[in-house]
């Protein structure tokens, strides 16, 4: 499948042929926001923009899924850049005695040659020593690869980094940050459970500042100015592209040690929003766990819960996460031609788990349950069970259906106990042969 935007890359004549062949509206045909039809509740993923009901699996696959992918990119995230034509992979670090010899730690650098980008993506990979290829979690991190493990040679980001990360001085990561996120990523636990972890720092793709000049995005914009056009790539789309490049790398370079059919994506909060988008846009991702992702990810855009983050507030605080079309929905979420249940539906029939914390009302744990419920009909339409629970489960009770839900006591963070839940869900929903 293509992860880019095929209709934009073709010449005018053939675009028309592609668009009409599939019966999908091209982005240029999408109405201006003010002309979209208001919908009070979460829109039905099985109804096309035209109002036509999806009647068959083929229609879902060939018409509605491509349409939804375009709609999300056009009105919300901006278009994901295409897969690079040429990249270079270099191993910059290899330690076969990691975790007392239980694991191999390596780090690869991905350079983008065509088109040429100055950005380099560093992928930290911790793999269990096992006879058969291991399932893997790809996770984007907040504080640099060096923060995940105690290891003197793991790459320290050169770009801007969050002040809240350990060891940061003047917006720069330092040696002092090594191992600072060990209890967030828990690689020992992941390895003990037979999984590998591949991780990268979001700032390798685009540091999370309001400006884009330091990210990969401008290289892909239609707008040739310093400002993005209305549906040009914004940060979450660029980060999701980063997940896809790690998938490329694992498949191309690690096919002996990593099971390409068991690639899961995980991420916390803004990185969880990215996780869900990455999985929705790339079927090579077999399972997604967007953890406490909330508004713009797993939380409904249409919400009346005033304790939860709204589209208006997220756009004001983080204008660079979404494309500028999305800003128009701040006071008019009813005009969105989709809601986040449709993004989950794009993952169908693959498993997706939403994990939450009781005190994290900003991420809208109740609304997230509604999102799963409103995605479930697509799973059933495709002949697999979706969400088994009829109401939000008790604390600490994992709903282990293909659409899974979990809420625990506590706050907005990613903990070792959360990882136990992620791994239990993955064991059940992504078993080996
Ligand atoms: C803020 C933001 C959320 C986001 C969170 C995070 O709270 O409002 O949308 O999920 O940061 O990334 O930790």
């Amino acid at each position: 499948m293509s992860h880019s935007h095929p209709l934009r890359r073709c010449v005018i004549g053939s675009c028309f042929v592609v668009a009409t062949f599939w019966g999908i509206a091209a982005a240029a045909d999408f109405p201006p926001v003010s002309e979209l039809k208001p919908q009070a509740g979460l829109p039905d993923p099985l109804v096309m923009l035209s109002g036509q009901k999806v009647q068959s699996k083929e229609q879902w696959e060939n018409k509605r899924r491509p349409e939804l992918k375009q709609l999300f990119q056009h009105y919300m995230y901006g278009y994901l850049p295409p897969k690079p034509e040429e990249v270079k992979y270099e191993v910059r670090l290899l330690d076969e005695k990691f975790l007392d010899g239980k694991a191999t730690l390596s780090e690869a650098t991905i350079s983008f040659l065509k088109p040429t980008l100055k950005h380099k993506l560093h992928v930290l990979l911790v793999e269990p020593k096992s006879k058969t290829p291991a399932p893997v979690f790809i996770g984007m991190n907040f504080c640099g690869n060096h923060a995940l493990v105690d290891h003197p040679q793991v790459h320290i980001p050169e770009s801007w980094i969050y002040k809240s990360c350990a060891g940061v001085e003047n917006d720069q990561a330092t040696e002092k940050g090594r191992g600072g996120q060990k209890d967030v990523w828990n690689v020992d636990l992941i390895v003990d459970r037979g999984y590998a972890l591949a991780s990268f720092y979001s700032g390798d793709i685009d540091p999370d500042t309001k400006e884009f000049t330091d990210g990969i995005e401008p290289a892909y914009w239609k707008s040739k100015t310093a400002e993005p056009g209305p549906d040009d790539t914004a940060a979450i789309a660029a980060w999701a592209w980063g997940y896809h490049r790690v998938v490329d790398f694992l498949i191309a370079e690690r096919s002996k040690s990593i099971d390409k059919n068991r690639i899961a994506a995980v991420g916390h909060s803004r990185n969880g929003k990215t996780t869900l988008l990455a999985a929705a846009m790339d079927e090579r991702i077999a399972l997604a766990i967007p953890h406490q992702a909330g508004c713009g990810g797993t939380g409904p855009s249409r919400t009346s819960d005033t304790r939860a983050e709204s589209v208006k507030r997220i756009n004001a605080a983080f204008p660079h996460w979404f494309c500028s079309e999305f800003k128009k929905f701040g006071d008019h979420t009813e005009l969105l031609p989709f809601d986040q249940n449709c993004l989950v539906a794009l993952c169908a029939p693959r498993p997706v788990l939403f994990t939450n914390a009781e005190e994290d009302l900003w991420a809208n744990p109740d609304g997230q349950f509604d999102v799963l419920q409103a995605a479930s009909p697509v799973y059933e339409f495709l002949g697999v069970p979706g969400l088994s629970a009829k109401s939000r489960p008790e604390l600490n009770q994992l709903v282990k259906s293909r659409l899974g839900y979990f809420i625990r006591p506590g706050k907005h963070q990613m903990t070792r106990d959360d990882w136990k839940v992620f791994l239990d869900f993955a064991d059940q929903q992504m078993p080996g042969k």
Side-chain angles (χ1 to χ4, degrees), residues 15 31 98 137 151 211 248 251 259 268 285 304 345 359 384:
C15 271
F98 190 58
F137 280 94
H151 196 289
E211 51 172 297
D248 296 344
I251 292 175
D259 183 348
H268 181 212
I285 294 174
S304 52
E359 292 173 46
V384 298

Side-chain angles (χ1 to χ4, degrees), residues 142 269-270 273 292-293 295 309 314 318 321 362 412:
F142 281 97
S269 209
R270 63 199 70 185
K273 306 180 205 296
Q292 303 173 341
C295 185
E309 186 172 25
I314 205 169
F318 304 99
W321 286 357
W362 188 240
H412 187 72

Side-chain angles (χ1 to χ4, degrees), residues 141-392:
N141 67 65
F142 281 97
C143 294
N145 293 350
H146 69 299
L148 270 62
V149 289
D150 279 325
H151 196 289
Q153 284 153 332
V154 174
H155 178 257
I156 297 182
E158 292 96 15
S159 56
W160 174 98
I161 195 156
Y162 300 93
K163 282 190 185 24
S164 53
C165 296
V168 172
E169 291 166 9
N170 302 324
D171 297 335
Q172 296 291 309
T174 68
E175 288 287 337
K176 289 183 212 149
R178 291 199 182 280
Q181 294 251 298
K182 265 186 351 186
D183 57 349
V184 173
W185 289 94
N186 301 286
V187 294
D188 59 314
L189 173 68
I190 296 173
V191 163
D192 280 346
R193 296 280 297 259
Y195 288 76
L197 176 72
S199 189
F200 67 99
Y201 169 52
S202 55
D204 280 6
I205 303 289
D206 182 14
D208 193 5
T209 61
K210 285 189 181 151
E211 51 172 297
F212 287 108
T213 45
D214 47 3
I216 63 153
E217 295 90 334
Y220 292 101
W221 288 344
K222 278 176 300 187
S223 153
K224 296 297 170 209
T225 69
E227 292 300 316
D231 60 5
D232 274 332
T233 318
I236 291 177
W239 293 331
W241 177 89
Y243 274 81
H244 298 166
R245 303 296 66 87
V246 178
V247 176
D248 296 344
F249 162 71
L250 294 173
I251 292 175
E253 300 283 302
R254 289 289 179 278
S255 60
K256 291 207 173 64
S257 53
I258 296 293
D259 183 348
K260 71 172 172 40
N261 296 316
R262 288 194 292 160
I263 297 178
V266 65
H268 181 212
S269 209
R270 63 199 70 185
N271 300 355
K273 306 180 205 296
T274 308
T275 300
L276 185 60
L277 179 64
M281 301 296 286
D282 189 339
E283 286 161 63
R284 299 174 302 172
I285 294 174
L287 177 149
I289 307 184
H291 178 58
Q292 303 173 341
C295 185
T298 53
S301 294
R302 291 165 175 80
T303 184
S304 52
D305 188 338
T306 50
R307 301 163 305 176
E309 186 172 25
S310 63
V311 168
K312 188 168 185 171
R313 292 181 74 163
I314 205 169
N315 275 326
F318 304 99
H320 56 296
W321 286 357
F322 305 95
C323 71
S324 41
E325 278 299 274
F326 195 52
K327 315 289 184 288
K328 300 179 184 162
F329 296 95
D331 289 316
H332 293 288
T333 52
E334 75 285 358
L335 292 178
L336 277 164
F338 47 71
D339 210 305
Q340 298 309 100
N341 59 315
C342 301
L343 197 60
V344 178
L346 281 173
C347 300
R350 294 166 290 150
V352 179
L353 171 65
F354 285 6
T355 43
N356 279 287
E358 194 185 15
E359 292 173 46
D360 187 13
L361 299 173
W362 188 240
N364 201 350
D366 285 333
Q368 290 191 38
F369 187 82
D370 300 339
V371 163
L372 288 179
Q373 266 194 322
S376 196
V378 177
Y379 283 71
E380 281 129 32
F381 182 79
L382 297 178
V384 298
L387 180 69
S388 62
K390 296 278 171 276
S391 57
R392 200 186 101 171

Side-chain angles (χ1 to χ4, degrees), residues 51-84:
Q52 222 187 334
K53 182 103 183 107
V54 175
Q55 306 284 359
S56 66
K57 287 185 189 173
E58 290 68 33
Q59 271 181 1
W60 167 255
E61 202 48 50
N62 298 329
K63 289 193 173 181
R64 180 57 172 158
R65 278 191 87 229
E67 178 180 84
L68 273 175
K69 284 183 176 177
Q70 299 244 350
L71 288 168
F72 272 108
Q73 293 180 95
H74 178 72
Y75 289 114
M76 187 166 181
Y77 297 105
Y79 280 88
L80 270 70
K83 180 176 175 169

